[in-house]
Amino acid sequence: MNRKEALEIVKEQLNEARYTHTVGVMETAIKLAEKYGEDVKKAELAAIFHDYAKFRPKDEMKEIIIEQNMSKDLLEHHHSLWHAPVGAYLVQKEVGIEDEAVLRAIEYHTYGRPNMTMLEKIVYVADYIEPGRSFPGVEEVRQSAENSLDEALFLCLRNTIVFLIGRKQPIYPMTINTYNSLVQ
């Protein structure tokens, strides 16, 4: 599947702002893949489809999580996490993408996992630092991504955890596990 076809498919699933974000993630993921020696086509494809399920109804996502035996602890945390694993499932089912590396990069782009692959790190970081993002700490992560993808990932996770703590919101355990795997 080429870039044009993929973008046409995903555009039907997103609003204009999220589509613009997706293009930014794609462009950032391509640059990071080139810089860090990852498969550029896989990074491009995973980035294009990373938010494929973002606007699916919560009830539909919940049903898929249950029916597909995804981690039940997802249901105990904010629904904004759900679109990543549900998106990986739907991209395979509806779009026909079978590449496991691409699907895992989509699946883990919201909370990560210990021992992430290079492709998974690229999509996670690209989602955080794409040019349309503007919030405290993003410039530090952008600069870090120029030198070390692991350091950039660490900063993404640290900033997210601090943000959630500041808002007195629960932190998904896999996010903590991902953070811990980077500092140990």
Side-chain angles (χ1 to χ4, degrees):
M1 174 178 306
N2 67 39
R3 178 187 300 183
K4 185 178 181 220
E5 292 168 332
L7 286 170
E8 285 174 5
I9 291 168
V10 82
K11 191 171 190 175
E12 295 175 13
Q13 303 294 321
L14 306 175
N15 64 29
E16 189 174 331
R18 186 54 53 168
Y19 180 75
T20 300
H21 161 74
T22 295
V23 171
V25 175
M26 176 196 73
E27 291 169 349
T28 304
I30 289 168
K31 288 177 188 168
L32 291 173
E34 289 170 345
K35 180 170 189 58
Y36 291 105
E38 182 54 73
D39 186 309
V40 173
K41 285 294 181 192
K42 288 184 182 193
E44 176 184 80
L45 198 59
I48 288 171
F49 285 106
H50 83 282
D51 277 348
Y52 182 79
K54 184 80 171 176
F55 296 109
R56 294 294 175 109
K58 283 184 256 181
D59 289 343
E60 178 188 359
M61 289 194 286
K62 183 177 182 178
E63 187 175 313
I64 290 169
I65 289 167
I66 293 167
E67 287 178 358
Q68 296 304 309
N69 293 314
M70 294 177 184
S71 182
K72 300 296 184 270
D73 64 351
L74 280 166
L75 301 175
E76 299 167 11
H77 290 82
H78 198 274
H79 60 83
S80 63
L81 298 174
W82 300 356
H83 76 280
V86 170
Y89 168 76
L90 291 173
V91 164
Q92 183 176 26
K93 181 180 174 197
E94 296 177 359
V95 182
I97 293 172
E98 297 288 340
D99 188 307
E100 284 296 318
V102 170
L103 296 173
R104 295 300 70 84
I106 295 167
E107 178 178 0
Y108 295 113
H109 86 269
T110 57
Y111 46 80
R113 71 178 177 112
N115 304 310
M116 292 172 80
T117 66
M118 180 66 71
L119 181 60
E120 291 165 3
K121 292 174 187 179
I122 285 169
V123 175
Y124 190 104
V125 171
D127 186 31
Y128 194 91
I129 67 169
E130 65 93 358
R133 298 284 202 192
S134 178
F135 51 82
V138 73
E139 279 305 320
E140 178 187 16
V141 181
R142 285 184 181 126
Q143 291 171 5
S144 184
E146 292 296 319
N147 302 309
S148 169
L149 195 58
D150 284 339
E151 180 64 20
L153 178 62
F154 168 80
L155 292 172
C156 292
L157 290 158
R158 182 201 68 187
N159 293 352
T160 298
I161 291 166
V162 168
F163 175 80
L164 292 170
I165 289 170
R167 295 194 174 233
K168 297 183 178 175
Q169 293 181 345
I171 301 165
Y172 188 57
M174 189 67 80
T175 303
I176 298 291
N177 293 342
T178 307
Y179 173 86
N180 287 343
S181 75
L182 290 170
V183 298
Q184 292 175 337

Short mmCIF file of all heavy atoms in Angstrom, two decimals, residues 28 32 35-36 125 128-130 137-153 155-156 159:
data_model
loop_
_atom_site.label_atom_id
_atom_site.label_comp_id
_atom_site.label_asym_id
_atom_site.label_seq_id
_atom_site.Cartn_x
_atom_site.Cartn_y
_atom_site.Cartn_z
N THR A 28 7.33 13.09 10.77
CA THR A 28 8.30 12.97 11.86
C THR A 28 8.83 11.55 11.95
O THR A 28 10.03 11.34 12.14
CB THR A 28 7.65 13.41 13.19
OG1 THR A 28 7.15 14.74 13.04
CG2 THR A 28 8.66 13.38 14.32
N LEU A 32 12.71 10.27 11.71
CA LEU A 32 13.33 9.48 12.77
C LEU A 32 13.81 8.12 12.24
O LEU A 32 14.89 7.65 12.61
CB LEU A 32 12.36 9.29 13.94
CG LEU A 32 12.04 10.54 14.76
CD1 LEU A 32 10.94 10.26 15.77
CD2 LEU A 32 13.28 11.09 15.46
N LYS A 35 16.97 8.65 10.37
CA LYS A 35 18.05 8.98 11.30
C LYS A 35 18.56 7.75 12.05
O LYS A 35 19.75 7.58 12.25
CB LYS A 35 17.58 10.04 12.30
CG LYS A 35 18.64 10.45 13.30
CD LYS A 35 18.21 11.64 14.10
CE LYS A 35 19.32 12.20 14.94
NZ LYS A 35 20.51 12.61 14.21
N TYR A 36 17.62 6.89 12.47
CA TYR A 36 17.98 5.77 13.33
C TYR A 36 18.03 4.42 12.61
O TYR A 36 18.14 3.37 13.24
CB TYR A 36 17.05 5.72 14.55
CG TYR A 36 17.31 6.89 15.47
CD1 TYR A 36 16.43 7.97 15.53
CD2 TYR A 36 18.46 6.94 16.25
CE1 TYR A 36 16.68 9.05 16.36
CE2 TYR A 36 18.72 8.02 17.08
CZ TYR A 36 17.83 9.07 17.13
OH TYR A 36 18.09 10.15 17.95
N VAL A 125 7.43 8.32 19.86
CA VAL A 125 8.06 9.64 19.96
C VAL A 125 7.52 10.59 18.89
O VAL A 125 7.23 11.76 19.17
CB VAL A 125 9.60 9.51 19.90
CG1 VAL A 125 10.27 10.88 19.78
CG2 VAL A 125 10.12 8.77 21.13
N TYR A 128 4.39 12.19 19.83
CA TYR A 128 4.58 13.18 20.89
C TYR A 128 5.16 14.49 20.37
O TYR A 128 4.78 15.57 20.84
CB TYR A 128 5.50 12.57 21.95
CG TYR A 128 5.54 13.31 23.26
CD1 TYR A 128 4.68 12.98 24.30
CD2 TYR A 128 6.47 14.33 23.49
CE1 TYR A 128 4.73 13.64 25.52
CE2 TYR A 128 6.52 14.99 24.70
CZ TYR A 128 5.65 14.65 25.71
OH TYR A 128 5.70 15.31 26.92
N ILE A 129 6.08 14.40 19.40
CA ILE A 129 6.85 15.59 19.01
C ILE A 129 6.48 16.17 17.65
O ILE A 129 7.09 17.14 17.21
CB ILE A 129 8.37 15.33 19.03
CG1 ILE A 129 8.79 14.33 17.96
CG2 ILE A 129 8.83 14.92 20.41
CD1 ILE A 129 10.30 14.22 17.75
N GLU A 130 5.50 15.60 16.97
CA GLU A 130 5.18 16.12 15.63
C GLU A 130 4.99 17.64 15.67
O GLU A 130 4.65 18.18 16.72
CB GLU A 130 3.98 15.37 15.04
CG GLU A 130 2.66 15.55 15.76
CD GLU A 130 1.81 16.68 15.18
OE1 GLU A 130 2.23 17.37 14.25
OE2 GLU A 130 0.72 16.87 15.71
N GLY A 137 7.51 21.24 27.61
CA GLY A 137 8.40 20.08 27.56
C GLY A 137 8.60 19.49 26.18
O GLY A 137 9.53 18.71 25.98
N VAL A 138 7.76 19.85 25.21
CA VAL A 138 7.87 19.20 23.90
C VAL A 138 9.16 19.59 23.17
O VAL A 138 9.76 18.76 22.49
CB VAL A 138 6.62 19.44 23.02
CG1 VAL A 138 6.55 20.87 22.51
CG2 VAL A 138 6.57 18.45 21.86
N GLU A 139 9.62 20.82 23.34
CA GLU A 139 10.86 21.24 22.68
C GLU A 139 12.06 20.45 23.20
O GLU A 139 12.94 20.07 22.43
CB GLU A 139 11.09 22.74 22.82
CG GLU A 139 10.31 23.59 21.84
CD GLU A 139 10.55 23.20 20.37
OE1 GLU A 139 11.70 22.89 19.98
OE2 GLU A 139 9.57 23.19 19.62
N GLU A 140 12.08 20.21 24.49
CA GLU A 140 13.17 19.42 25.08
C GLU A 140 13.19 18.01 24.46
O GLU A 140 14.26 17.48 24.16
CB GLU A 140 12.99 19.32 26.60
CG GLU A 140 14.04 18.49 27.29
CD GLU A 140 13.78 18.25 28.76
OE1 GLU A 140 12.64 18.46 29.23
OE2 GLU A 140 14.73 17.81 29.45
N VAL A 141 12.02 17.43 24.27
CA VAL A 141 11.94 16.09 23.69
C VAL A 141 12.36 16.13 22.23
O VAL A 141 13.09 15.25 21.76
CB VAL A 141 10.53 15.48 23.85
CG1 VAL A 141 10.48 14.08 23.26
CG2 VAL A 141 10.11 15.45 25.32
N ARG A 142 11.94 17.16 21.50
CA ARG A 142 12.35 17.30 20.09
C ARG A 142 13.87 17.36 19.98
O ARG A 142 14.47 16.69 19.13
CB ARG A 142 11.73 18.55 19.47
CG ARG A 142 10.26 18.41 19.15
CD ARG A 142 9.71 19.65 18.46
NE ARG A 142 8.30 19.46 18.21
CZ ARG A 142 7.35 20.32 18.60
NH1 ARG A 142 7.66 21.43 19.24
NH2 ARG A 142 6.08 20.05 18.33
N GLN A 143 14.50 18.17 20.83
CA GLN A 143 15.95 18.30 20.80
C GLN A 143 16.62 16.98 21.17
O GLN A 143 17.60 16.56 20.55
CB GLN A 143 16.40 19.41 21.74
CG GLN A 143 16.02 20.79 21.24
CD GLN A 143 16.27 21.88 22.27
OE1 GLN A 143 16.83 21.64 23.33
NE2 GLN A 143 15.84 23.10 21.95
N SER A 144 16.07 16.31 22.15
CA SER A 144 16.62 15.02 22.58
C SER A 144 16.54 13.98 21.48
O SER A 144 17.45 13.17 21.30
CB SER A 144 15.88 14.53 23.83
OG SER A 144 16.45 13.35 24.29
N ALA A 145 15.44 14.00 20.72
CA ALA A 145 15.25 13.02 19.63
C ALA A 145 16.32 13.16 18.55
O ALA A 145 16.56 12.21 17.80
CB ALA A 145 13.86 13.18 19.02
N GLU A 146 16.97 14.31 18.48
CA GLU A 146 18.05 14.50 17.52
C GLU A 146 19.29 13.69 17.87
O GLU A 146 20.11 13.39 17.01
CB GLU A 146 18.42 15.99 17.43
CG GLU A 146 17.35 16.85 16.81
CD GLU A 146 17.09 16.49 15.36
OE1 GLU A 146 18.06 16.24 14.62
OE2 GLU A 146 15.91 16.44 14.97
N ASN A 147 19.42 13.35 19.16
CA ASN A 147 20.63 12.66 19.62
C ASN A 147 20.40 11.25 20.14
O ASN A 147 21.28 10.40 20.01
CB ASN A 147 21.30 13.48 20.73
CG ASN A 147 21.66 14.87 20.26
OD1 ASN A 147 22.28 15.03 19.22
ND2 ASN A 147 21.24 15.88 21.00
N SER A 148 19.26 11.02 20.76
CA SER A 148 19.00 9.72 21.36
C SER A 148 17.51 9.44 21.41
O SER A 148 16.77 10.13 22.11
CB SER A 148 19.57 9.67 22.79
OG SER A 148 19.11 8.52 23.46
N LEU A 149 17.10 8.42 20.69
CA LEU A 149 15.69 8.04 20.70
C LEU A 149 15.27 7.53 22.07
O LEU A 149 14.16 7.81 22.53
CB LEU A 149 15.41 7.00 19.62
CG LEU A 149 13.95 6.77 19.25
CD1 LEU A 149 13.27 8.06 18.77
CD2 LEU A 149 13.84 5.69 18.19
N ASP A 150 16.15 6.80 22.74
CA ASP A 150 15.84 6.30 24.08
C ASP A 150 15.65 7.44 25.07
O ASP A 150 14.74 7.40 25.91
CB ASP A 150 16.92 5.34 24.58
CG ASP A 150 16.83 3.97 23.94
OD1 ASP A 150 15.75 3.61 23.44
OD2 ASP A 150 17.84 3.25 23.95
N GLU A 151 16.49 8.45 24.99
CA GLU A 151 16.35 9.61 25.88
C GLU A 151 15.05 10.35 25.57
O GLU A 151 14.33 10.78 26.49
CB GLU A 151 17.55 10.55 25.75
CG GLU A 151 17.48 11.77 26.64
CD GLU A 151 17.52 11.48 28.14
OE1 GLU A 151 17.96 10.39 28.55
OE2 GLU A 151 17.09 12.36 28.92
N ALA A 152 14.73 10.49 24.30
CA ALA A 152 13.47 11.14 23.92
C ALA A 152 12.28 10.35 24.44
O ALA A 152 11.32 10.93 24.98
CB ALA A 152 13.39 11.29 22.40
N LEU A 153 12.32 9.04 24.31
CA LEU A 153 11.24 8.19 24.83
C LEU A 153 11.12 8.34 26.33
O LEU A 153 10.02 8.49 26.88
CB LEU A 153 11.49 6.73 24.45
CG LEU A 153 10.48 5.71 24.97
CD1 LEU A 153 9.09 5.98 24.40
CD2 LEU A 153 10.94 4.30 24.62
N LEU A 155 11.93 10.91 28.15
CA LEU A 155 11.35 12.22 28.44
C LEU A 155 9.84 12.24 28.16
O LEU A 155 9.08 12.84 28.92
CB LEU A 155 12.06 13.31 27.66
CG LEU A 155 13.51 13.58 28.05
CD1 LEU A 155 14.16 14.54 27.07
CD2 LEU A 155 13.61 14.10 29.47
N CYS A 156 9.43 11.60 27.08
CA CYS A 156 7.99 11.50 26.78
C CYS A 156 7.25 10.85 27.95
O CYS A 156 6.22 11.35 28.42
CB CYS A 156 7.73 10.64 25.54
SG CYS A 156 8.26 11.30 23.97
N ASN A 159 7.38 13.04 31.20
CA ASN A 159 6.46 14.17 31.10
C ASN A 159 5.01 13.73 31.22
O ASN A 159 4.19 14.40 31.86
CB ASN A 159 6.67 14.91 29.78
CG ASN A 159 8.01 15.60 29.70
OD1 ASN A 159 8.76 15.68 30.68
ND2 ASN A 159 8.34 16.11 28.53
#
